[in-house]
Amino acid sequence: MASFVPTNADTAEDQRLYTRARLTEVACLDCLATVGVKKNSEHHTSVQWDATATGHCPEMARRGRLDGRSVTPACPRLVASIEAATREGRIPVGAEDGY
């Protein structure tokens, strides 16, 4: 369920850019859950989970339901997968136009 539905086209585009621009799909090397990943810097990583990915990840299943606004510690196996993808150059690092 969307918490904010923009009615202005410019706002909708800003929302799309902020939440979806430059996301790279990364599959966990352990459970194969696929998430969207964006790295604005070496220390700032955004991870977008959906219901399918959450259903595949045993770590997230163990922790219980996520409500879309939860801030939870990262799954260590997924973190390792993201770090490997970054080292391999599959995830670009750095913000573009503030996104």
Side-chain angles (χ1 to χ4, degrees):
M1 180 167 102
S3 59
F4 172 72
V5 179
T7 56
N8 179 291
D10 290 338
T11 304
E13 179 62 8
D14 282 344
Q15 184 185 47
R16 186 195 69 77
L17 288 171
Y18 186 74
T19 60
R20 297 286 175 207
R22 298 187 317 103
L23 287 177
T24 301
E25 287 193 351
V26 174
C28 176
L29 298 173
D30 187 48
C31 72
L32 303 180
T34 301
V35 297
V37 177
K38 176 170 45 176
K39 288 190 71 67
N40 287 338
S41 71
E42 289 294 330
H43 302 287
H44 179 203
T45 303
S46 297
V47 178
Q48 297 289 320
W49 289 83
D50 62 18
T52 302
T54 303
H56 274 93
C57 179
E59 180 71 19
M60 291 299 164
R62 184 181 62 76
R63 293 178 186 174
R65 182 180 175 272
L66 299 176
D67 65 9
R69 291 191 169 263
S70 299
V71 176
T72 60
C75 170
R77 293 180 297 266
L78 181 62
V79 170
S81 301
I82 292 170
E83 289 173 352
T86 303
R87 281 191 306 274
E88 294 167 1
R90 292 188 290 128
I91 301 175
V93 179
E96 296 174 8
D97 297 330
Y99 300 104

